[in-house]
Amino acid sequence: MTANLALQENRNVLAVPGNIDQPLSAGCNELISAGAKPVLTPQDILEEFTI
């Protein structure tokens, strides 16, 4: 819910993708589908915060 509100407000949302065949990965994968930036490496997080 909070992440969806952040996406609606054009705020940055990061999510770690999971296996598509695992039910517990559905939330993160849905966030990415909705516009969250996937985190694939630590560099992705650092770039988001311009470090």
Side-chain angles (χ1 to χ4, degrees):
M1 183 173 179
T2 303
N4 286 326
L5 289 173
L7 286 171
Q8 290 174 9
E9 295 291 324
N10 294 322
R11 304 200 79 177
N12 296 340
V13 177
L14 305 173
V16 178
N19 293 330
I20 60 171
D21 61 346
Q22 296 295 316
L24 293 176
S25 298
C28 289
N29 292 338
E30 287 175 12
L31 283 173
I32 292 169
S33 177
K37 179 180 178 179
V39 176
L40 305 176
T41 66
Q43 187 65 31
D44 293 333
I45 297 169
L46 295 174
E47 287 174 0
E48 201 62 31
F49 293 103
T50 61
I51 294 176

